[in-house]
Structures are given as C-alpha cells and as structure tokens.
Amino acid sequence: MNTPGTTLRSRNVRTTRTTRTPAAEPAPAAAPALAPAVRQADGMAVASFVLGLVGLLAMNLLLGPASIVLAALALRRGTTRPGRARLGLVLGVADLVVLACLVSADQTWSWSIG
C-alpha cells in the first residue's frame, strides 16, 4: 500500500502522489467601508427626515422644500436608508400642505399658536 508522498512507477511513468489539503479559508474581511458618496447619501436621508419633522412645527416654507430636495438627492445617489429618505420626502410634502392650510386659514405666511 502506498502512503501519501511516495512515488508510484507504472509503465515507465513516474508520478508522485500527494494528499490534497483543503484550501485555507480566507480570513473574514473587515466590514467594508462605505463609499463616500453612499455615506453622504445616508446623511442626506437622515437630514431630510429631521428637517421634515422639524418643519411640521416651525419654518414650513424653508424646511419643507429642503427636506424634499435632500430626500430626492439621497434616493438618486443610492442611499442604504431608502425608507428614511422616503419618509423625509413625505414629511417635506406634509410641511407644504400644512403651510398651505395655514395660509388659507389666516391669509398670512406666518402663524402662531394661540
């Protein structure tokens, strides 16, 4: 019986038999760093959400459109947080709807509680 690593002779052909060891598993890679454009898009998605939320309470005229623009840019750039960007888009539109309702009720661009 031949053991691994011994030479076999057959019909004047010399072959070497070796045992195959399984290939070493590659070391697990560290968490891949996000590309700068994707990181910026994620920041835009979060900023859109925050601006839309704050815009419901104050400065609807400025924060609503800013929220819409940031959400659209984040979605176009391929954010990893599309739900947050869509929510920012919806909140930005809601800001403008609230502003339109307040303007039609008071006939003024500014509003106050009380």
Side-chain angles (χ1 to χ4, degrees):
M1 182 170 169
N2 292 327
T3 59
T6 61
T7 304
L8 299 175
R9 291 188 186 249
S10 171
R11 295 186 188 168
N12 297 331
V13 176
R14 184 176 179 184
T15 60
T16 304
R17 186 180 212 182
T18 59
T19 59
R20 276 196 129 165
T21 57
E25 293 289 324
L34 293 175
V38 174
R39 287 183 51 185
Q40 286 179 348
D42 288 347
M44 287 181 193
V46 172
S48 171
F49 170 71
V50 170
L51 290 178
L53 197 58
V54 172
L56 287 174
L57 302 174
M59 297 188 291
N60 309 60
L61 184 61
L62 297 175
L63 297 181
S67 176
I68 293 169
V69 168
L70 285 174
L73 285 174
L75 288 171
R76 180 166 286 234
R77 290 185 182 185
T79 182
T80 58
R81 300 175 179 193
R84 182 124 342 135
R86 287 186 196 109
L87 189 57
L89 184 65
V90 169
L91 287 172
V93 171
D95 289 348
L96 296 180
V97 169
V98 167
L99 179 65
C101 291
L102 292 173
V103 167
S104 66
D106 294 340
Q107 283 76 35
T108 182
W109 288 99
S110 63
W111 60 280
S112 62
I113 298 174

